[in-house]
Every structure is written in structure tokens, then in C-alpha cells.
Amino acid sequence: VLPELMEQKLTIVKPVSVPSAAFAFCRYTLALLIWATLIFHCKPLMFLALILFSLSAILKVRRAPLILLYSYTVNKVFKSPDEVLNEAAMRFAHIMGASFSLVCLGFLYFAPPAFGWSAVLVFAIMKSISAFGYCPASKLYECVSSGGCCAFTKKHGC
């Protein structure tokens, strides 16, 4: 029985619905916040990103601060259709965002300035890719939770 259980692929999928415009607002706002951190060299904005990512991870995507802000304001007037998301993947993505924010802050305060701002640039680019619909952290979660990320591991069962 144990070998059979070990061979099963564990994919955790917990669907959750959020207004699609609220989800877009959240993605774009966080990307803009990180770009603003870089453009204005304003470290407190990265602290704000850390707080927003952390709260989103703790409260989960349905009750994420930016999702709620949009849902209880703009979405009351201009309704948008719901989008179904994988709650576990989004939580992982928010944890990764909080982690990257923390790493960037560490570099900004304890590394040479050029290194810290370079880290923020990399984070801003990654978050922009995520904001425009391809979330690397969410894809990584789904890939790992389904048993393997590359064609080789899926083909050869490694």
C-alpha cells in the first residue's frame, strides 16, 4: 500500500472565485508598487508590498486586501465576471511575493545599493510578467504539486 501511495501524484487544487477585474487590479497594483519602489528609490514602498503580499498569503486570495478593496468599491458599480483560481497556488504565489519582497529589503538595507536596486529590478520584471497573466510562482506550484516540472521527470518517473 505504501509504494502505491508514494506513486500517487499529489495535486492540491482548491478552486475559489473572485471578480476578474479585482484580481487584475491586485496584480497590476502590486506590479506598479514594485516599479514605484525602483523608480523613486523609496524603500517604504517595498515594505508596503511585503505587507500586502503577506496579508494576501495569510488571508488567502478571496480576502486579500486589494481584492477586497476593489470588490467593495469599483466592483459594486462596475460588475465584472468571476474568475476561478487555485487558492493553494495563489497562496504559494503570495508567499513567494512576500519572500522576494523580504529578500529585496534585505539587499536594500544590507548590501551595496546597486545590488539592492538590481534585485528590485528583477522582482519588478518578474511581477510584471505575473501581472500580465503568466504567474511563474503559480505555475511552479502547480508543476511541483502534480509530481514533476519537466518532461524528463514525467516521462521517466524520477
Side-chain angles (χ1 to χ4, degrees), residues 45-56:
L45 291 177
M46 187 58 71
F47 274 109
L48 180 58
L50 172 63
I51 291 167
L52 289 170
F53 277 120
S54 299
L55 285 173
S56 296

Side-chain angles (χ1 to χ4, degrees), residues 102-113 115-117 119-120:
L102 194 58
V103 166
C104 286
L105 284 167
F107 288 154
L108 287 170
Y109 283 99
F110 302 111
F115 191 76
W117 293 114
V120 175

Side-chain angles (χ1 to χ4, degrees), residues 86-110:
N86 179 349
E87 186 175 72
M90 288 293 98
R91 188 173 208 185
F92 178 78
H94 288 131
I95 290 169
M96 292 299 296
S99 300
F100 272 96
S101 298
L102 194 58
V103 166
C104 286
L105 284 167
F107 288 154
L108 287 170
Y109 283 99
F110 302 111

Side-chain angles (χ1 to χ4, degrees), residues 3-52:
E4 291 173 15
L5 290 174
M6 291 176 66
E7 288 182 23
Q8 288 180 349
K9 294 184 178 175
L10 177 64
T11 303
I12 300 171
V13 177
K14 186 176 180 192
V16 62
S17 294
V18 297
S20 61
F23 186 51
F25 172 75
C26 181
R27 293 189 324 253
Y28 297 143
T29 301
L30 284 167
L32 288 172
L33 185 60
I34 296 164
W35 280 107
T37 299
L38 181 66
I39 292 166
F40 300 115
H41 282 225
C42 183
K43 297 173 190 176
L45 291 177
M46 187 58 71
F47 274 109
L48 180 58
L50 172 63
I51 291 167
L52 289 170

Side-chain angles (χ1 to χ4, degrees), residues 61-95:
V61 70
R62 188 184 330 211
R63 293 184 306 268
L66 293 172
I67 298 285
L68 289 177
L69 176 64
Y70 190 93
S71 295
Y72 288 115
T73 57
V74 178
N75 202 56
K76 292 288 185 187
V77 178
F78 303 104
K79 295 280 184 194
S80 73
D82 281 353
E83 183 171 345
V84 178
L85 304 169
N86 179 349
E87 186 175 72
M90 288 293 98
R91 188 173 208 185
F92 178 78
H94 288 131
I95 290 169

